[in-house]
Amino acid sequence: MAILCFNFFILIFAFVRRKSSLISYCGRIPILCLCFFAIIRILYAAEFPFVHVISAEVFNDMQTFFRRSVSVFSEKSTVGLCFCIVWIGWAMVECFWFLWKIIKAIRSMKHTELVSDSDILSVCEQVTKRQVTIALSTGTTPYIAGFFRPVIFLPKNLNSIDELKYILMHEWQHFKSKDQWKKVVLNLLTCFFWWNPLVYLFRFDAEQMLEVNCDYKVLKQLSPDERDNYLWMLRYFCDSNKKQIQQNQSLILGVVPFFKKSKLFSSFELVKQRIWLGKHYGESTPQSKFLSVVLCMSILLMFLLSYIVLLSTCWSSSGRRWTDYNRISGRNRFRGTN
């Protein structure tokens, strides 16, 4: 049930994330709430005594299939047990591979070339108050790394001090918002639920919303003229790296990767959404704020209702009707008995 509700939240989140006009009118808070409750629903898969059980014939067929006996290495087992072993085994492989990439990135940070330019360090001091190390990136990708001692990697081909300022504000905002930790949670979800294609869609859309949220927080600190310059910087990166996209290379606008062969989005869709939302930043009205509150309450209500209904088999393994069995076992759990 937790997986079904999680997938349902993902589909709604994917639909809403692509509606830039809705995000601009209602704000980003309802969409972020939808993302948050989707993660909570899959992590907290609890059953309560007051749950309402709905019988479904399809679960009987699934239960029969997973209980089917099979022979594995001359040992008798069930399909369900084999599936669990494959699931957990590959999830551990994915987790170890993700951990190795983090360790490899930390090791590579020790051999980076630090920036010694006084002008760059002066701008960095104004933005971050000297709480971050500045290093040069080997490519054209500005990004921030590190969970406790952050390092901002800057591209070598910076055009102006203003562009440097906006990049530092963007990357530093990622660290202040704990986006590195949030991306760790998203990657761990894909490691554990590697067999679910919707989880990869969820990670993609959630990372885009982190970028939008970061843009909004940066734009809040800028004046109207500076906001236009910030958006022009995004557009400049988009235009100057168009040839790299045609050569199947990655383009990073802010910290968002774009790949030509990706089937989840068309070229420059994500940066276009960020620019469009940036142009309409600050156009909220009392009606839009009221609608935002209504949407947040509706998402919360939908999240709570997902714990009230439980889809299950029509019969228990002992032959008793599952609704009666679940009601009795739920009452005993509530009393603290077996």
Side-chain angles (χ1 to χ4, degrees):
M1 189 62 190
I3 294 175
L4 289 177
C5 293
F6 178 59
N7 291 339
F8 178 71
F9 278 114
I10 289 177
L11 294 176
I12 297 178
F13 179 64
F15 174 79
V16 175
R17 204 280 299 166
R18 286 158 177 77
K19 300 298 180 181
S20 300
S21 57
L22 181 62
I23 299 176
S24 177
Y25 186 77
C26 300
R28 67 195 188 279
I29 303 301
I31 294 87
L32 294 176
C33 286
L34 188 60
C35 178
F36 173 76
F37 285 123
I39 297 178
I40 296 299
R41 188 62 182 89
I42 193 63
L43 295 181
Y44 189 67
E47 295 181 12
F48 299 97
F50 51 81
V51 66
H52 178 68
V53 181
I54 300 178
S55 305
E57 291 287 346
V58 65
F59 291 102
N60 288 333
D61 299 333
M62 292 177 60
Q63 189 179 59
T64 303
F65 173 75
F66 283 117
R67 288 183 175 181
R68 183 178 300 175
S69 298
V70 294
S71 179
V72 181
F73 300 108
S74 301
E75 297 290 338
K76 289 186 177 181
S77 182
T78 61
V79 175
L81 181 59
C82 294
F83 176 78
C84 289
I85 293 175
V86 174
W87 180 357
I88 297 175
W90 190 254
M92 292 179 62
V93 172
E94 291 281 349
C95 290
F96 280 120
W97 177 248
F98 177 62
L99 179 61
W100 167 249
K101 290 193 294 185
I102 294 179
I103 296 176
K104 187 178 179 180
I106 294 176
R107 289 180 177 179
S108 63
M109 290 171 56
K110 298 179 180 179
H111 304 285
T112 56
E113 180 184 356
L114 299 181
V115 173
S116 57
D117 190 295
S118 59
D119 294 335
I120 295 179
L121 295 178
S122 176
V123 176
C124 178
E125 182 180 2
Q126 297 176 6
V127 175
T128 66
K129 309 301 179 184
R130 281 193 179 276
Q131 301 180 31
V132 65
T133 303
I134 304 297
L136 292 178
S137 173
T138 56
T140 59
T141 304
Y143 62 95
I144 187 169
F147 298 98
F148 303 102
R149 298 179 179 178
V151 179
I152 295 181
F153 291 85
L154 299 176
K156 298 180 180 180
N157 53 344
L158 292 174
N159 294 324
S160 63
I161 295 297
D162 289 337
E163 181 179 299
L164 171 65
K165 174 186 174 182
Y166 300 141
I167 291 177
L168 291 175
M169 292 181 66
H170 182 93
E171 303 303 333
W172 183 241
Q173 188 60 55
H174 274 301
F175 181 79
K176 292 172 60 178
S177 301
K178 308 297 181 182
D179 288 344
Q180 295 96 323
W181 296 99
K182 297 173 185 176
K183 290 185 178 182
V184 168
V185 174
L186 294 173
N187 280 277
L188 289 178
L189 279 177
T190 57
C191 290
F192 282 104
F193 299 96
W194 53 267
W195 48 268
N196 188 356
L198 292 181
V199 174
Y200 299 92
L201 176 64
F202 176 72
R203 182 181 65 178
F204 170 78
D205 289 329
E207 288 180 350
Q208 170 66 359
M209 283 308 303
L210 291 179
E211 293 300 324
V212 172
N213 185 53
C214 185
D215 287 336
Y216 270 53
K217 291 182 178 181
V218 172
L219 292 173
K220 186 178 181 179
Q221 306 174 37
L222 301 177
S223 64
D225 293 336
E226 290 177 325
R227 293 171 186 173
D228 293 337
N229 295 332
Y230 179 82
L231 298 178
W232 272 106
M233 180 197 67
L234 294 181
R235 182 176 178 179
Y236 166 77
F237 274 105
C238 184
D239 293 337
S240 62
N241 290 275
K242 189 175 296 184
K243 293 183 179 180
Q244 295 183 3
I245 287 292
Q246 297 173 354
Q247 297 173 356
N248 297 334
Q249 298 179 1
S250 63
L251 166 65
I252 301 281
L253 301 169
V255 290
V256 183
F258 298 81
F259 299 94
K260 179 183 177 183
K261 292 186 177 181
S262 176
K263 297 181 180 179
L264 292 175
F265 54 91
S266 60
S267 300
F268 306 107
E269 176 190 351
L270 300 183
V271 69
K272 286 180 180 179
Q273 182 183 42
R274 291 172 59 186
I275 293 176
W276 191 91
L277 291 173
K279 289 182 178 179
H280 294 81
Y281 174 79
E283 297 181 358
S284 59
T285 61
Q287 293 81 3
S288 63
K289 294 180 179 179
F290 175 77
L291 182 59
S292 177
V293 175
V294 171
L295 288 177
C296 291
M297 296 302 296
S298 301
I299 294 170
L300 176 61
L301 179 62
M302 184 170 55
F303 169 76
L304 296 176
L305 288 177
S306 67
Y307 284 101
I308 297 178
V309 179
L310 175 64
L311 298 178
S312 183
T313 56
C314 298
W315 300 89
S316 66
S317 59
S318 62
R320 182 182 300 171
R321 286 196 62 83
W322 186 262
T323 53
D324 299 333
Y325 176 80
N326 189 74
R327 188 182 299 112
I328 294 173
S329 62
R331 191 183 301 117
N332 291 337
R333 288 197 305 269
F334 181 74
R335 292 176 180 175
T337 60
N338 294 327

